[in-house]
């Protein structure tokens, strides 16, 4: 075991390999306040990559209804239990519990579990439980303002900095690309041991029944290499996602080195609005989420770590915070990967890595007032006359 | 019907002399007969307990045991691939009645190629040198026999496994398997942990799932989920009569692109055109196992009474530089690894890869007569 630096935990941790950060890291940002669970992302991914025989239960992208929806069944509950129930304490920004790579049993390389095949039988079992079907004893959440709460949780592989899948593969058939940090399974070298399926705490490596090997999200690398965002990002109806590259080097994550004009660095490192998913697992996931403001904060802290309160406060204020708004309005605005952005008057402008302008979005939508009637033809143009 | 009943009652029972006791001359392994409704202490198919109480491996009846060495016996003629089918009574279609005709004793049965070969019982240890591993052995003992006829050499591996695991066509299912390993270079002593940088090893690997693929056709989703339905796969071409059940063997190269591993010919995993239940591999240490381009071995396994019996055969000299050369009249060594596909380890699934048992102590001397 080597010691590596995991900035999300605010400390060093054990990992089977030496720290080796890629030159740049693919990163996806999700604004969970906007997801409508339309599953367009799921289908965009499915029809692009995993529609073939043997891939029936493979969802590189899935959207589950939290708190009780899961795919595969109870994945996060089970991994949290492996780390010890209610044993993931934070002291400020420092994680004091153990990760999946620490405190191991004698025959383990890491802590994981292999889901039962029936765990894949229902893509979002439990989705309706937040509507108090669970125990018949009234609302699960009690409180004066929100009786029930729930949110939709789109998930893909996190292309982790310290991937559990990669660490677990006895054949080194999984690798992380130096040029963009995408984590891939070599389809000609995999021998279907499913160690990665058992190891990935996010359960984002899947087994293909027909070819008998594991397959995982490839971050649409043919698109990424062409400077485009992934399918799940560009097809998102709710415009909740932004895909691109974040600065990776831990040492340089000081105020000065962070690129404030890069939307990912800005939202993750400068503003700390977007938070990692289950950082306590220890894989340093590179998908970041803006937590939903209306959800029980205890639950959010369990999922997104200690930064939840700050994030929600900023998000509620986003309407008055022009700089923040400028970054948030890039979401869903273009298919091209945006390297830098700038606030220009009432517009946010996005640039590609060559510095060429690729998108310009107004901070406030222009308002057009339609006539009630077409004066020439007399036809009604609105229905509120 | 009567015959069937009798055969069902013929359960392998332990005998007075445990097969683990010291080697030496042929042992008296007469088979007690018990009735169908009294299956006896061992209960036949299921066995749970420490390996010391394991029923002795005795599918071949009276045998000569040698210890600490595998002796490959020289024979004349063909080497039979089926270890269990006793060719000495061809006119009798129900093999088990042969016991009765020979006065219920293996001793009086005519010798066969495999029953005459000396047996070595190899105790297995749980792999826990690299993680992940096993804590306790899941296949505690494997019996090895070997014969050769100057052209070909074969190994018969027999072990007890209460659970038959012969599918991998399901997310959480793993196959029973066994492998034998030799040094590639003559006289070399590679690390028994799958070789080392200077000394590659040659591995022949048998898998129960492949045996089933051969018998019933490549197992696919329909075999795992008989009642499943799927609207349509994009690679399927209905215009030429294909359906979701069209075997992937019939897919053309274009269609195979939808099954990346098939297109890439990762035939260790997806081989709808498989010819035998074994594959040959090389390794230079843990994590380096690589399939050979040319496969010279054949294998066949059968399962009875909870035992797997697997015959692996190959030319003594395959002419393939990646294979170990096995010469008559020489001494070399071999090692064994075995997997119980059903055995779950701390929730992380059945035996596979490094979650295996290996011949305790590593290499076992192999003397080729
Ligand atoms: S999310 Fe899972 S599959 Fe993806 S890189 Fe991390 S550990 Fe591997
Ligand atoms: S496409 Fe967007 S809005 Fe729809 S479910 Fe996926 S992430 Fe949510």
């Amino acid at each position: 075991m080597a010691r590596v630096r995991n900035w999300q935990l605010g400390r060093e941790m054990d990992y089977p390999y030496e720290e080796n950060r890629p030159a740049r890291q693919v990163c996806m940002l999700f604004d969970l306040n906007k997801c409508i669970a339309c599953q367009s992302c799921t289908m965009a991914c499915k029809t692009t990559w995993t529609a073939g025989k043997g891939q029936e239960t493979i969802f590189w992208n899935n959207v589950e209804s939290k708190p009780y929806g899961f795919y595969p069944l109870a994945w996060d509950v089970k991994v949290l239990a492996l780390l010890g129930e209610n044993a993931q304490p934070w002291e400020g920004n420092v994680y004091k519990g153990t990760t999946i790579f620490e405190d191991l049993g004698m025959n383990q390389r890491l802590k994981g579990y292999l889901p039962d095949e029936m765990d894949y039988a229902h893509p979002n079992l439990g989705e309706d439980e937040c509507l108090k079907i669970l125990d018949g004893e009234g609302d699960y959440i009690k409180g004066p303002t929100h009786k029930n709460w729930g949110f939709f949780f789109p998930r893909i592989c996190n292309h982790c900095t310290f991937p559990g899948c990669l660490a677990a593969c006895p054949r080194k058939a999984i690798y992380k690309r130096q040029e963009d940090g995408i984590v891939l399974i070599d389809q000609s070298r995999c021998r279907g041991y499913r160690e990665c399926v058992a190891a990935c705490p996010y359960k984002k490596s899947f087994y293909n029944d027909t070819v008998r090997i594991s397959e995982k999200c490839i971050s649409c690398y043919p698109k990424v290499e062409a400077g485009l965002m992934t399918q799940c990002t560009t097809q998102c109806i709710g415009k909740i996602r932004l895909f691109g590259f974040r600065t990776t080097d831990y040492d340089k994550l000081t105020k000065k080195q962070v690129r404030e004009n890069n939307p990912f660095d800005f939202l993750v490192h400068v503003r700390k609005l977007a938070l990692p998913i289950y950082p306590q697992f220890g894989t340093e996931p590179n998908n970041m989420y803006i937590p939903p403001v209306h959800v029980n904060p205890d639950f959010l802290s369990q999922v997104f770590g200690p930064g939840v309160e700050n994030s929600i406060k900023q998000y509620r204020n986003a309407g008055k915070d022009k700089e923040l708004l400028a970054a948030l309005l890039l979401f869903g605005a273009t298919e091209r990967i945006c390297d830098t952005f700038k606030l220009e008057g009432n517009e946010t402008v996005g640039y590609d890595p060559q510095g060429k302008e690729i998108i310009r979005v107004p901070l406030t939508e222009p308002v057009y007032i339609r006539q009630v009637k077409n004066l020439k033809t007399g036809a009604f143009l609105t229905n509120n006359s | 019907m009567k015959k069937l009943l009798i055969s069902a009652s013929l359960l392998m029972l332990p005998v007075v002399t445990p097969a683990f006791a010291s080697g030496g001359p042929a042992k008296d392994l007469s088979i007690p007969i018990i009735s169908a409704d009294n299956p006896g202490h061992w209960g036949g198919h299921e066995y749970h307990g420490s390996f010391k109480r394991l029923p002795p491996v005795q599918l071949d009846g009276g045998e000569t045991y040698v210890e600490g060495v595998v002796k490959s016996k020289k024979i004349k003629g063909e080497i039979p691939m089926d270890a269990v089918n006793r060719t000495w009574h061809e006119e009798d279609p129900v093999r088990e009645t042969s016991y009765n005709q020979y006065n219920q004793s293996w001793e009086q049965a005519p010798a066969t190629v495999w029953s005459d070969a000396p047996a070595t019982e190899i105790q297995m240890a749980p792999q826990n040198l690299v993680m992940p591993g096993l804590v306790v052995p899941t296949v505690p003992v494997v019996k090895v026999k070997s014969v050769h006829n100057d052209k070909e050499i074969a190994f018969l591996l027999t072990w007890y496994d209460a659970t038959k695991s012969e599918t991998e066509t399901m997310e959480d299912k793993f196959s029973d398997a066994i492998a034998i390993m030799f040094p590639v270079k003559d006289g070399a002593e590679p690390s028994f942990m799958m070789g080392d940088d200077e000394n590659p090893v040659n591995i022949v690997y048998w898998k129960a799932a492949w045996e089933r693929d051969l018998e019933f056709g490549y197992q696919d989703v329909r075999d795992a989920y008989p009642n499943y339905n799927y609207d349509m796969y994009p690679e399927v071409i209905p215009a030429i009569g294909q359906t979701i059940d069209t075997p992937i063997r019939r897919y053309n190269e274009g269609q195979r692109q939808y099954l990346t591993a098939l297109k890439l010919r990762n035939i260790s995993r997806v081989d709808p055109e498989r010819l035998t239940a074994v594959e040959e591999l090389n390794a230079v240490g843990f994590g380096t196992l690589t399939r050979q381009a040319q496969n010279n071995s054949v294998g066949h396994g059968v399962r009875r009474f909870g035992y797997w019996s697997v015959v692996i055969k190959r030319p003594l000299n395959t002419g393939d530089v990646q294979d170990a050369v096995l010469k008559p009249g020489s001494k070399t060594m071999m090692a064994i690894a075995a997997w119980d596909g059903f055995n779950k380890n701390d929730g992380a699934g059945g035996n596979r890869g490094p979650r295996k048992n290996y011949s305790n102590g590593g290499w076992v001397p192999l003397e080729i007569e």
Side-chain angles (χ1 to χ4, degrees):
Chain A
M1 282 277 182
R3 291 294 283 178
V4 296
R5 301 157 305 158
N6 183 326
W7 66 266
Q8 297 176 354
L9 304 183
R11 66 168 172 88
E12 293 193 334
M13 62 161 207
D14 289 340
Y15 187 69
Y17 297 107
E18 297 287 330
E19 185 171 336
N20 184 10
R21 288 171 187 270
R24 52 181 191 165
Q25 173 63 54
V26 290
C27 170
M28 196 179 283
L29 303 183
F30 301 71
D31 184 350
L32 292 181
N33 295 287
K34 300 200 293 181
C35 178
I36 54 171
C38 62
Q39 306 280 3
S40 306
C41 46
T42 307
M43 292 322 290
C45 177
K46 191 84 187 146
T47 50
T48 310
W49 301 117
T50 65
K53 201 174 201 181
Q55 296 178 313
E56 296 80 6
T57 58
I58 297 182
F59 288 98
W60 289 349
N61 183 107
N62 77 301
V63 185
E64 50 200 51
S65 311
K66 282 296 179 215
Y68 302 117
F70 310 94
Y71 191 73
L73 191 67
W75 66 275
D76 49 354
V77 177
K78 288 184 183 176
V79 178
L80 289 170
L82 284 177
L83 298 186
E85 271 170 69
N86 303 319
Q88 294 117 39
W90 291 85
E91 259 180 47
N93 289 329
V94 181
Y95 177 55
K96 291 289 179 182
T98 56
T99 67
I100 60 164
F101 304 111
E102 295 165 333
D103 188 26
L104 302 177
M106 88 165 252
N107 65 335
Q108 289 179 318
R109 191 184 280 218
L110 47 75
K111 283 182 192 156
Y113 80 97
L114 188 71
D116 192 86
E117 44 104 14
M118 285 306 288
D119 291 355
Y120 293 93
H122 309 278
N124 195 9
L125 193 67
E127 60 178 320
D128 294 329
E129 300 302 351
C130 60
L131 306 174
K132 73 178 180 181
I133 300 166
L134 190 66
D135 52 14
E137 287 173 11
D139 300 342
Y140 177 68
I141 304 296
K142 306 209 189 314
T145 47
H146 288 274
K147 294 198 100 180
N148 295 316
W149 56 268
F151 68 98
F152 304 122
F153 203 5
R155 302 197 301 114
I156 70 163
C157 164
N158 296 291
H159 298 280
C160 308
T161 306
F162 306 112
C165 56
L166 182 152
C169 180
R171 297 180 52 63
K172 302 193 180 87
I174 304 184
Y175 58 102
K176 187 169 174 68
R177 303 209 303 188
Q178 195 57 40
E179 64 267 37
D180 49 21
I182 294 175
V183 177
L184 295 172
I185 302 177
D186 183 339
Q187 298 288 292
S188 52
R189 198 161 162 73
C190 172
R191 281 178 74 87
Y193 295 158
R194 285 157 270 176
E195 294 292 355
C196 56
V197 181
C200 170
Y202 305 96
K203 295 296 166 244
K204 279 296 168 191
S205 180
F206 293 87
Y207 185 64
N208 180 319
D209 281 344
T210 296
V211 297
R212 303 179 191 174
I213 66 168
S214 302
E215 297 176 342
K216 66 174 285 300
C217 165
I218 59 171
S219 191
C220 295
Y221 68 78
K223 285 190 86 185
V224 174
E225 286 167 7
L228 300 174
M229 300 189 193
T230 65
Q231 289 290 76
C232 55
T233 309
T234 57
Q235 303 300 311
C236 177
I237 305 266
K239 301 190 172 192
I240 83 150
R241 302 195 189 201
L242 191 68
F243 177 90
F245 296 99
R246 219 187 63 238
T247 303
T248 61
D249 201 316
Y250 180 93
D251 275 338
K252 290 182 189 156
L253 289 183
T254 58
K255 273 268 181 239
K256 257 189 220 146
Q257 299 292 343
V258 165
R259 297 195 302 151
E260 293 205 21
N261 59 355
N262 171 285
F264 303 91
D265 278 8
F266 177 74
L267 289 172
V268 174
H269 296 308
V270 180
R271 288 302 189 92
K272 301 187 178 13
L273 188 78
L275 307 171
I277 165 176
Y278 287 112
Q280 64 267 48
F281 293 170
T283 63
E284 209 188 288
N286 288 304
N287 292 343
M288 305 281 161
Y289 293 84
I290 300 172
V293 294
H294 62 287
V295 166
N296 178 314
D298 286 344
F299 185 85
L300 289 179
S301 305
Q302 183 178 44
V303 182
F304 302 111
V308 169
E309 205 182 316
N310 161 55
S311 171
I312 289 182
K313 208 167 104 203
Q314 287 191 68
Y315 193 84
R316 285 197 188 278
N317 192 40
K320 295 182 202 118
D321 186 342
K322 273 196 158 191
E323 207 185 10
L324 188 58
L325 205 55
L328 289 175
L329 285 173
L330 295 169
F331 283 56
T334 170
E335 193 180 11
R336 310 271 298 278
I337 292 178
C338 188
D339 187 50
T340 54
F341 77 108
K342 199 165 75 189
L343 177 64
E344 260 184 37
N346 195 38
E347 282 177 332
T348 174
V349 193
Y351 303 91
D352 72 6
Q354 285 73 43
K356 220 177 96 214
E357 179 182 322
I358 49 174
I359 186 70
R360 189 172 277 268
V361 190
L363 294 194
T364 324
E365 294 266 349
V367 178
Y368 300 99
I369 300 182
R370 266 209 221 171
Q371 290 173 317
V372 174
K373 241 180 184 179
N374 183 323
L375 295 176
K376 266 189 211 152
T377 62
F380 281 104
L381 298 173
T382 69
N383 60 1
N384 60 352
S385 55
Chain B
M1 190 61 211
K2 195 156 183 229
K3 269 186 177 176
L4 278 177
L5 263 183
I6 294 168
S7 64
S9 73
L10 282 163
L11 302 167
M12 294 293 106
L13 283 190
V15 289
V16 186
T17 320
F20 305 101
S22 62
K27 290 169 188 165
D28 177 11
L29 293 175
S30 58
I31 303 288
I33 296 291
I34 46 165
S35 69
D37 30 48
N38 176 22
H41 173 64
W42 296 98
H45 300 274
E46 290 291 330
Y47 176 80
H48 309 279
S50 74
F51 75 92
K52 289 231 163 61
R53 287 172 55 228
L54 197 76
V57 178
Q58 53 183 354
L59 278 183
D60 300 300
E63 296 177 310
T64 313
Y65 282 83
V66 290
E67 222 174 65
V69 56
V70 174
K71 293 197 171 172
S72 189
K73 185 175 177 256
K74 187 166 179 162
I75 61 155
K76 286 208 181 75
E78 280 288 298
I79 302 177
M81 287 302 289
D82 187 341
V84 176
N85 189 351
R86 301 175 71 90
T87 48
W88 44 262
H89 210 87
E90 275 159 0
E91 71 273 20
D92 183 352
V94 182
R95 304 166 198 159
E96 288 79 5
T97 59
S98 308
Y99 293 120
N100 292 344
Q101 284 161 6
Y102 292 101
N103 201 16
Q104 301 169 358
S105 165
W106 286 109
E107 265 183 20
Q108 292 166 39
T112 68
V113 166
W114 283 116
S115 69
D116 258 11
T120 311
E121 277 185 346
I122 298 191
Q123 290 184 23
M124 306 291 281
Q127 193 293 112
N128 48 27
L129 300 160
V130 284
M131 299 306 116
L134 301 178
V135 180
V136 288
T138 53
V139 176
V141 62
V142 175
K143 186 179 78 174
V144 191
K145 291 182 170 193
S146 177
V147 293
H148 76 91
N149 60 9
D150 280 330
K151 277 206 236 51
E152 291 178 314
I153 185 164
F155 297 86
L156 165 61
L157 304 143
T158 309
W159 72 101
Y160 185 79
D161 180 349
T163 45
K164 176 162 78 173
S165 312
E166 49 175 8
T167 184
E168 293 183 305
T169 312
M170 234 187 227
E171 139 68 27
D172 58 355
K173 301 282 181 293
F174 298 87
S175 175
D176 295 334
I178 199 146
I180 50 177
M181 175 170 93
F182 309 96
V184 172
K185 289 189 214 151
D186 217 2
E189 254 200 61
S191 158
F192 75 91
M193 294 183 278
M194 297 176 72
D196 50 64
D197 285 347
E198 270 92 68
N199 297 297
V201 291
N202 170 208
I203 291 167
V204 192
Y205 178 70
W206 172 92
K207 186 176 266 186
W210 295 340
E211 202 70 57
R212 193 180 163 88
D213 286 347
L214 286 168
E215 196 171 351
F216 298 106
Y218 184 79
Q219 301 172 72
D220 209 333
V221 187
R222 177 71 67 202
D223 302 276
Y225 302 98
N227 299 318
Y228 99 113
N229 195 21
Y230 203 76
D231 299 340
M232 188 45 78
Y233 300 113
E235 72 270 24
V236 165
I237 311 171
I240 57 167
Q242 291 188 339
T243 70
I244 59 167
D245 284 321
T246 297
I248 57 170
R249 175 168 42 87
R250 302 232 194 95
Y251 280 12
N252 64 32
E253 283 304 310
Q255 292 178 290
R256 287 179 183 217
Q257 290 194 72
Y258 286 84
L259 286 77
T260 317
L262 180 67
K263 179 75 180 175
L264 291 172
R265 293 200 49 71
N266 183 350
I267 59 172
S268 290
R269 299 304 298 170
V270 50
D271 187 2
E273 288 105 10
R274 176 169 290 287
L275 297 172
T276 182
V278 291
E279 73 172 349
E280 291 182 341
L281 306 125
N282 289 100
V284 287
F286 283 134
T288 62
L289 188 65
T290 304
R291 184 184 66 241
Q292 290 185 6
Q294 189 191 339
N295 187 55
N296 304 296
S297 301
V298 289
H300 179 49
V302 288
R303 188 183 157 85
R304 280 175 70 215
F305 303 126
Y307 290 86
W308 282 114
S309 292
V310 174
V311 175
I312 295 172
K313 183 163 84 171
R314 51 156 271 187
L316 276 158
N317 184 356
T318 60
D320 180 348
V321 288
Q322 294 185 308
D323 290 344
V325 178
L326 302 171
K327 286 188 221 110
S330 77
K331 284 183 188 170
T332 174
M333 49 194 197
M334 67 183 289
I336 297 174
W339 293 260
D340 174 2
F342 182 77
N343 207 290
K344 305 260 159 114
N345 319 271
D346 56 30
N351 288 183
R352 79 282 195 185
R355 299 176 194 266
K356 68 184 172 190
N357 307 274
Y358 67 96
S359 38
N360 203 352
W363 294 107
V364 181
L366 167 64
E367 290 177 19
I368 306 172
E369 195 185 323

